[in-house]
Amino acid sequence: MASLTIDGETGTTVMRVEAEYSPPRSWRTWLIGRPLPTADAPHQTIRKIVGLAVFASDALSSTAYATQEILFILAAAGMGALGNVFPISLAIVALLVIVTISYEQTIHAYPGGGGAYIVARDNLGEAPAQTAGAALLTDYVLTVAVSISAGVAQLTSAYPELFPYRVAIAVGLVLFVMVVNLRGVKESGAIFALPTYFFIGMMFLTVGTGIVRYLTGTLGQVVNPPAAETTGVLTAVTPFLILHAFSSGTAALTGIEAISNGITAFREPRSRNAGITLIFMAGILSTLFLSISFLAGPIAAIPSEA
């Protein structure tokens, strides 16, 4: 439909054409949605509650296996070394606080999105930026691989009959996550919000129940635990072993940079909303991680792949 209007300032006649046309749907548009015009970008921004589900899910999900990674390393020195899991977790949370403060400053300094690559390029040059970018790509790949593998391990632990199909399940989940993310931040946020908040709720319910039972003296221990898995001859608790356990436990920090990279996906004021989301993520992550590590001692948790 065409219409003629006169510009009030210049007096020029302007023809406006409104075409009601939508491109034909194909399997690609059905799978990942239609391409979005650049003009629609402001309408695709998300709130903090959705942003937490989209950008913090990687970091928060790592609480499900970070403590176990520490226990695996400490088990090489025998059962007595497992008591070091909580002090090591405290050190990791201290590192998390430092990283969170750093990214909080970065969010306000780079409101258009400021990850390690952009910050390194602006302050150190192209070579350090490319190094940081390569590290980020590796980190994102490993984050998905480790998170999916850990989730499938928990699934097959609950349903042993699925164990022979664990590889196919993991690959299928990776493809599912890829397709959902290709549909855009807004749609993926709506899809991931429910499982993310369900996970957070169940984790807080679990650790909360454990702490209450610990305080009331009703917390039991693992019944018929599997044999502790070690790599061979027991070793001494050395600084190298502690540092090795610390580095393995820093899996709890995977994906923490995502919010800083995705500032433009938040509603205005972007920097403020992204910063608040980052602080909430760090608080939830620290609380769950420390709670799980603390309870691992009283319940006599033993690392096992079974």
Side-chain angles (χ1 to χ4, degrees), residues 31 79 89 93 96 123-124 127 138 153 165 170 190 196 210 213 265 280 287:
L31 187 64
M79 298 299 297
S89 299
V93 169
L96 171 63
N123 295 277
L124 300 176
T138 304
Y165 311 103
T196 298
R213 289 188 175 183
F280 269 105
T287 303

Side-chain angles (χ1 to χ4, degrees), residues 178-234:
M178 178 192 71
V179 171
V180 171
N181 278 281
L182 285 174
R183 296 191 66 88
V185 174
K186 192 171 184 178
E187 288 194 41
S188 64
I191 295 173
F192 289 140
L194 181 60
T196 298
Y197 284 108
F198 178 78
F199 170 80
I200 294 174
M202 290 298 99
M203 290 292 285
F204 271 111
L205 178 62
T206 301
V207 299
T209 302
I211 291 175
V212 169
R213 289 188 175 183
Y214 172 79
L215 295 176
T216 57
T218 59
L219 181 64
Q221 293 187 338
V222 178
V223 179
N224 297 324
E229 297 183 4
T230 62
T231 56
V233 180
L234 295 181

Side-chain angles (χ1 to χ4, degrees), residues 218-276:
T218 59
L219 181 64
Q221 293 187 338
V222 178
V223 179
N224 297 324
E229 297 183 4
T230 62
T231 56
V233 180
L234 295 181
T235 62
V237 180
T238 62
F240 177 79
L241 183 72
I242 297 297
L243 291 175
H244 189 183
F246 175 86
S247 64
S248 296
T250 52
L253 275 65
T254 55
I256 195 173
E257 191 192 49
I259 293 177
S260 180
N261 282 328
I263 300 174
T264 55
F266 286 88
R267 291 181 179 177
E268 296 288 355
R270 293 174 178 173
S271 295
R272 180 177 180 274
N273 289 332
I276 293 174

Side-chain angles (χ1 to χ4, degrees), residues 21-90:
Y21 170 77
S22 59
R25 297 187 67 87
S26 64
W27 67 269
R28 292 183 61 183
T29 57
W30 178 84
L31 187 64
I32 63 176
R34 293 176 177 174
L36 294 174
T38 304
D40 288 347
H43 303 290
Q44 298 299 314
T45 54
I46 56 179
R47 298 174 297 166
K48 294 187 291 292
I49 191 170
V50 178
L52 184 66
V54 173
F55 295 110
S57 56
D58 286 344
L60 295 179
S61 65
S62 64
T63 58
Y65 55 83
T67 300
Q68 178 177 264
E69 295 302 316
I70 300 175
L71 291 173
F72 267 122
I73 303 303
L74 294 177
M79 298 299 297
L82 300 183
N84 294 302
V85 63
F86 188 66
I88 292 175
S89 299
L90 285 174

Side-chain angles (χ1 to χ4, degrees), residues 8-164:
E9 296 181 357
T10 63
T12 304
T13 301
V14 179
M15 176 179 287
R16 303 183 186 277
V17 179
E18 298 179 2
E20 296 182 358
Y21 170 77
S22 59
R25 297 187 67 87
S26 64
W27 67 269
R28 292 183 61 183
T29 57
W30 178 84
L31 187 64
I32 63 176
R34 293 176 177 174
L36 294 174
T38 304
D40 288 347
H43 303 290
Q44 298 299 314
T45 54
I46 56 179
R47 298 174 297 166
K48 294 187 291 292
I49 191 170
V50 178
L52 184 66
V54 173
F55 295 110
S57 56
D58 286 344
L60 295 179
S61 65
S62 64
T63 58
Y65 55 83
T67 300
Q68 178 177 264
E69 295 302 316
I70 300 175
L71 291 173
F72 267 122
I73 303 303
L74 294 177
M79 298 299 297
L82 300 183
N84 294 302
V85 63
F86 188 66
I88 292 175
S89 299
L90 285 174
I92 293 173
V93 169
L95 176 61
L96 171 63
V97 171
I98 295 173
V99 174
T100 300
I101 294 174
S102 174
Y103 278 127
E104 170 69 13
Q105 295 173 338
T106 301
I107 285 173
H108 292 282
Y110 294 85
Y117 174 80
I118 295 177
V119 175
R121 185 191 62 190
D122 290 351
N123 295 277
L124 300 176
E126 193 64 33
Q130 291 178 352
T131 302
L136 283 176
L137 289 176
T138 304
D139 175 57
Y140 285 139
V141 171
L142 292 178
T143 294
V144 174
V146 173
S147 298
I148 294 293
S149 299
V152 173
Q154 301 298 328
L155 181 65
T156 55
S157 176
Y159 302 97
E161 61 273 13
L162 296 177
F163 186 79

